[in-house]
Every structure is written in structure tokens, then in C-alpha cells.
Short mmCIF file of all heavy atoms in Angstrom, two decimals:
data_model
loop_
_atom_site.label_atom_id
_atom_site.label_comp_id
_atom_site.label_asym_id
_atom_site.label_seq_id
_atom_site.Cartn_x
_atom_site.Cartn_y
_atom_site.Cartn_z
N GLU A 1 12.76 117.52 -8.95
CA GLU A 1 12.91 116.91 -10.28
C GLU A 1 12.25 117.75 -11.34
O GLU A 1 12.82 117.95 -12.44
CB GLU A 1 12.37 115.46 -10.25
CG GLU A 1 12.63 114.70 -11.48
CD GLU A 1 14.00 114.08 -11.55
OE1 GLU A 1 14.86 114.31 -10.64
OE2 GLU A 1 14.30 113.44 -12.56
N LEU A 2 11.02 118.16 -11.11
CA LEU A 2 10.28 118.94 -12.08
C LEU A 2 11.01 120.28 -12.36
O LEU A 2 11.17 120.62 -13.57
CB LEU A 2 8.87 119.22 -11.58
CG LEU A 2 7.99 120.11 -12.48
CD1 LEU A 2 7.83 119.56 -13.86
CD2 LEU A 2 6.63 120.37 -11.80
N VAL A 3 11.44 120.94 -11.36
CA VAL A 3 12.13 122.23 -11.58
C VAL A 3 13.43 122.01 -12.34
O VAL A 3 13.77 122.73 -13.25
CB VAL A 3 12.34 122.94 -10.20
CG1 VAL A 3 13.27 124.15 -10.37
CG2 VAL A 3 10.98 123.36 -9.61
N ALA A 4 14.18 120.95 -11.97
CA ALA A 4 15.43 120.65 -12.66
C ALA A 4 15.21 120.31 -14.13
O ALA A 4 15.92 120.78 -14.98
CB ALA A 4 16.16 119.51 -11.97
N LEU A 5 14.14 119.49 -14.42
CA LEU A 5 13.87 119.17 -15.77
C LEU A 5 13.46 120.38 -16.61
O LEU A 5 13.81 120.52 -17.77
CB LEU A 5 12.79 118.10 -15.85
CG LEU A 5 13.19 116.71 -15.37
CD1 LEU A 5 11.94 115.82 -15.22
CD2 LEU A 5 14.19 116.10 -16.36
N ALA A 6 12.68 121.28 -16.01
CA ALA A 6 12.26 122.48 -16.67
C ALA A 6 13.43 123.41 -16.98
O ALA A 6 13.42 124.10 -18.01
CB ALA A 6 11.17 123.20 -15.87
N LYS A 7 14.42 123.43 -16.09
CA LYS A 7 15.59 124.28 -16.33
C LYS A 7 16.48 123.76 -17.44
O LYS A 7 17.17 124.49 -18.07
CB LYS A 7 16.41 124.34 -15.04
CG LYS A 7 15.82 125.29 -14.00
CD LYS A 7 16.75 125.32 -12.78
CE LYS A 7 16.15 126.20 -11.66
NZ LYS A 7 16.95 126.23 -10.52
N GLY A 8 16.41 122.45 -17.65
CA GLY A 8 17.25 121.82 -18.65
C GLY A 8 18.63 121.53 -18.18
O GLY A 8 18.96 121.65 -16.97
N MET A 9 19.48 121.14 -19.07
CA MET A 9 20.82 120.68 -18.75
C MET A 9 21.71 121.91 -18.51
O MET A 9 21.43 122.99 -19.02
CB MET A 9 21.42 119.86 -19.82
CG MET A 9 20.68 118.52 -20.03
SD MET A 9 20.70 117.41 -18.58
CE MET A 9 22.32 116.71 -18.76
N SER A 10 22.76 121.71 -17.74
CA SER A 10 23.78 122.74 -17.53
C SER A 10 25.10 122.03 -17.69
O SER A 10 25.18 120.82 -17.69
CB SER A 10 23.64 123.33 -16.13
OG SER A 10 23.94 122.30 -15.20
N PRO A 11 26.21 122.80 -17.84
CA PRO A 11 27.50 122.11 -17.91
C PRO A 11 27.77 121.19 -16.71
O PRO A 11 28.35 120.07 -16.84
CB PRO A 11 28.47 123.28 -17.96
CG PRO A 11 27.72 124.39 -18.57
CD PRO A 11 26.33 124.27 -18.05
N GLU A 12 27.35 121.65 -15.52
CA GLU A 12 27.55 120.78 -14.33
C GLU A 12 26.71 119.51 -14.39
O GLU A 12 27.22 118.45 -14.04
CB GLU A 12 27.16 121.58 -13.08
CG GLU A 12 28.05 122.78 -12.77
CD GLU A 12 27.63 124.00 -13.60
OE1 GLU A 12 26.53 124.11 -14.11
OE2 GLU A 12 28.47 124.95 -13.69
N ARG A 13 25.51 119.63 -14.86
CA ARG A 13 24.65 118.43 -14.95
C ARG A 13 25.16 117.54 -16.03
O ARG A 13 25.15 116.32 -15.93
CB ARG A 13 23.20 118.88 -15.19
CG ARG A 13 22.23 117.72 -15.03
CD ARG A 13 20.79 118.19 -14.98
NE ARG A 13 19.97 117.03 -14.90
CZ ARG A 13 18.66 117.04 -15.09
NH1 ARG A 13 18.05 118.16 -15.32
NH2 ARG A 13 17.94 115.93 -15.03
N ASP A 14 25.61 118.09 -17.20
CA ASP A 14 26.20 117.29 -18.25
C ASP A 14 27.38 116.51 -17.69
O ASP A 14 27.48 115.30 -17.96
CB ASP A 14 26.71 118.17 -19.40
CG ASP A 14 25.64 118.71 -20.31
OD1 ASP A 14 24.44 118.31 -20.15
OD2 ASP A 14 25.99 119.48 -21.23
N ALA A 15 28.24 117.15 -16.94
CA ALA A 15 29.45 116.44 -16.43
C ALA A 15 29.08 115.39 -15.40
O ALA A 15 29.63 114.27 -15.44
CB ALA A 15 30.37 117.49 -15.75
N ARG A 16 28.03 115.66 -14.58
CA ARG A 16 27.62 114.66 -13.58
C ARG A 16 27.03 113.45 -14.34
O ARG A 16 27.29 112.30 -13.98
CB ARG A 16 26.57 115.28 -12.64
CG ARG A 16 26.16 114.39 -11.50
CD ARG A 16 25.33 115.15 -10.45
NE ARG A 16 24.11 115.69 -11.03
CZ ARG A 16 23.74 116.99 -10.95
NH1 ARG A 16 24.52 117.85 -10.34
NH2 ARG A 16 22.63 117.39 -11.47
N GLN A 17 26.19 113.67 -15.34
CA GLN A 17 25.60 112.59 -16.13
C GLN A 17 26.70 111.77 -16.81
O GLN A 17 26.67 110.53 -16.81
CB GLN A 17 24.67 113.13 -17.22
CG GLN A 17 23.35 113.69 -16.71
CD GLN A 17 22.43 112.62 -16.23
OE1 GLN A 17 22.22 112.42 -15.04
NE2 GLN A 17 21.85 111.86 -17.09
N ALA A 18 27.66 112.44 -17.43
CA ALA A 18 28.72 111.77 -18.13
C ALA A 18 29.54 110.90 -17.17
O ALA A 18 29.82 109.70 -17.43
CB ALA A 18 29.63 112.74 -18.84
N ALA A 19 29.87 111.39 -16.01
CA ALA A 19 30.65 110.66 -15.03
C ALA A 19 29.88 109.45 -14.52
O ALA A 19 30.43 108.33 -14.33
CB ALA A 19 31.04 111.57 -13.84
N PHE A 20 28.56 109.67 -14.30
CA PHE A 20 27.69 108.58 -13.84
C PHE A 20 27.67 107.44 -14.81
O PHE A 20 27.83 106.25 -14.47
CB PHE A 20 26.28 109.17 -13.62
CG PHE A 20 25.25 108.17 -13.15
CD1 PHE A 20 25.29 107.65 -11.88
CD2 PHE A 20 24.23 107.77 -14.01
CE1 PHE A 20 24.32 106.78 -11.43
CE2 PHE A 20 23.22 106.91 -13.56
CZ PHE A 20 23.25 106.41 -12.30
N PHE A 21 27.43 107.72 -16.09
CA PHE A 21 27.37 106.67 -17.10
C PHE A 21 28.72 106.08 -17.42
O PHE A 21 28.85 104.88 -17.73
CB PHE A 21 26.71 107.19 -18.34
CG PHE A 21 25.17 107.23 -18.21
CD1 PHE A 21 24.56 108.45 -17.94
CD2 PHE A 21 24.40 106.09 -18.21
CE1 PHE A 21 23.18 108.55 -17.74
CE2 PHE A 21 23.01 106.16 -17.99
CZ PHE A 21 22.42 107.38 -17.78
N ARG A 22 29.79 106.89 -17.31
CA ARG A 22 31.14 106.34 -17.54
C ARG A 22 31.48 105.33 -16.42
O ARG A 22 32.01 104.28 -16.70
CB ARG A 22 32.14 107.49 -17.56
CG ARG A 22 33.54 107.08 -18.03
CD ARG A 22 34.42 108.24 -18.40
NE ARG A 22 33.95 108.89 -19.67
CZ ARG A 22 33.38 110.08 -19.77
NH1 ARG A 22 33.23 110.83 -18.72
NH2 ARG A 22 33.03 110.53 -20.92
N ALA A 23 31.12 105.67 -15.19
CA ALA A 23 31.37 104.74 -14.06
C ALA A 23 30.64 103.42 -14.22
O ALA A 23 31.05 102.39 -13.72
CB ALA A 23 30.99 105.42 -12.75
N ALA A 24 29.51 103.48 -14.96
CA ALA A 24 28.71 102.25 -15.18
C ALA A 24 29.15 101.51 -16.43
O ALA A 24 28.56 100.53 -16.81
CB ALA A 24 27.25 102.63 -15.33
N GLY A 25 30.22 102.00 -17.06
CA GLY A 25 30.78 101.36 -18.24
C GLY A 25 30.22 101.78 -19.57
O GLY A 25 30.44 101.15 -20.59
N GLY A 26 29.53 102.90 -19.58
CA GLY A 26 28.96 103.44 -20.86
C GLY A 26 30.00 103.92 -21.82
O GLY A 26 31.01 104.54 -21.39
N SER A 27 29.77 103.69 -23.08
CA SER A 27 30.72 104.14 -24.12
C SER A 27 30.51 105.63 -24.32
O SER A 27 29.50 106.20 -23.95
CB SER A 27 30.43 103.40 -25.44
OG SER A 27 29.16 103.76 -25.94
N ASP A 28 31.47 106.25 -24.96
CA ASP A 28 31.38 107.70 -25.27
C ASP A 28 30.09 107.96 -26.09
O ASP A 28 29.39 108.97 -25.86
CB ASP A 28 32.60 108.22 -25.96
CG ASP A 28 33.79 108.27 -25.10
OD1 ASP A 28 33.62 108.27 -23.85
OD2 ASP A 28 34.95 108.36 -25.62
N ALA A 29 29.82 107.08 -27.08
CA ALA A 29 28.65 107.32 -27.91
C ALA A 29 27.33 107.20 -27.10
O ALA A 29 26.40 107.98 -27.34
CB ALA A 29 28.60 106.27 -29.07
N LEU A 30 27.28 106.20 -26.18
CA LEU A 30 26.09 106.03 -25.34
C LEU A 30 25.92 107.23 -24.39
O LEU A 30 24.81 107.74 -24.22
CB LEU A 30 26.18 104.74 -24.51
CG LEU A 30 25.04 104.50 -23.55
CD1 LEU A 30 23.76 104.25 -24.31
CD2 LEU A 30 25.37 103.36 -22.63
N ILE A 31 27.02 107.71 -23.87
CA ILE A 31 26.98 108.87 -22.96
C ILE A 31 26.48 110.09 -23.69
O ILE A 31 25.62 110.81 -23.24
CB ILE A 31 28.36 109.10 -22.32
CG1 ILE A 31 28.71 107.97 -21.35
CG2 ILE A 31 28.42 110.48 -21.61
CD1 ILE A 31 30.15 107.94 -20.93
N GLU A 32 27.01 110.35 -24.89
CA GLU A 32 26.56 111.53 -25.65
C GLU A 32 25.10 111.39 -26.02
O GLU A 32 24.36 112.38 -25.96
CB GLU A 32 27.43 111.70 -26.90
CG GLU A 32 27.15 113.00 -27.66
CD GLU A 32 27.40 114.27 -26.82
OE1 GLU A 32 28.33 114.26 -26.01
OE2 GLU A 32 26.60 115.18 -26.96
N ALA A 33 24.64 110.23 -26.47
CA ALA A 33 23.22 110.04 -26.78
C ALA A 33 22.34 110.27 -25.54
O ALA A 33 21.27 110.88 -25.70
CB ALA A 33 23.03 108.58 -27.33
N ASN A 34 22.80 109.80 -24.40
CA ASN A 34 22.00 110.02 -23.16
C ASN A 34 21.93 111.48 -22.82
O ASN A 34 20.87 112.00 -22.44
CB ASN A 34 22.57 109.19 -21.98
CG ASN A 34 21.77 109.43 -20.74
OD1 ASN A 34 22.05 110.41 -19.98
ND2 ASN A 34 20.78 108.58 -20.53
N ILE A 35 23.05 112.16 -22.91
CA ILE A 35 23.04 113.60 -22.61
C ILE A 35 22.18 114.35 -23.60
O ILE A 35 21.41 115.27 -23.21
CB ILE A 35 24.47 114.15 -22.56
CG1 ILE A 35 25.16 113.62 -21.27
CG2 ILE A 35 24.49 115.71 -22.56
CD1 ILE A 35 26.62 113.94 -21.18
N ASP A 36 22.19 114.02 -24.85
CA ASP A 36 21.30 114.69 -25.87
C ASP A 36 19.82 114.42 -25.51
O ASP A 36 19.02 115.34 -25.59
CB ASP A 36 21.55 114.08 -27.27
CG ASP A 36 22.84 114.58 -27.84
OD1 ASP A 36 23.43 115.60 -27.33
OD2 ASP A 36 23.32 113.97 -28.87
N LEU A 37 19.53 113.18 -25.06
CA LEU A 37 18.13 112.91 -24.64
C LEU A 37 17.74 113.74 -23.43
O LEU A 37 16.68 114.32 -23.37
CB LEU A 37 17.99 111.43 -24.34
CG LEU A 37 16.67 110.97 -23.82
CD1 LEU A 37 15.55 111.17 -24.90
CD2 LEU A 37 16.69 109.51 -23.41
N GLN A 38 18.64 113.81 -22.44
CA GLN A 38 18.37 114.61 -21.23
C GLN A 38 18.16 116.05 -21.64
O GLN A 38 17.29 116.72 -21.09
CB GLN A 38 19.53 114.51 -20.23
CG GLN A 38 19.74 113.11 -19.68
CD GLN A 38 18.70 112.74 -18.64
OE1 GLN A 38 18.25 113.61 -17.90
NE2 GLN A 38 18.29 111.49 -18.63
#
């Protein structure tokens, strides 16, 4: 987790995060805000 956080986001991680939150019913705005935070 520490190494992944230090590396930051990648296109693959962005896509995984977006799919995860979309499957949970997240709106596009919520998904984008979460990815920005990540």
C-alpha cells in the first residue's frame, strides 16, 4: 500500500478506481472527485 501510494495514480489504477465506484453506484462527479483525491 505504501509503495503504491508513493507511486501515485496510473491510467490502470484510475480505471480500476472508476470501475469500482461505478459498480457501487457512484456518479461521474463523485468518481472524478475520488480519483482527484487519490
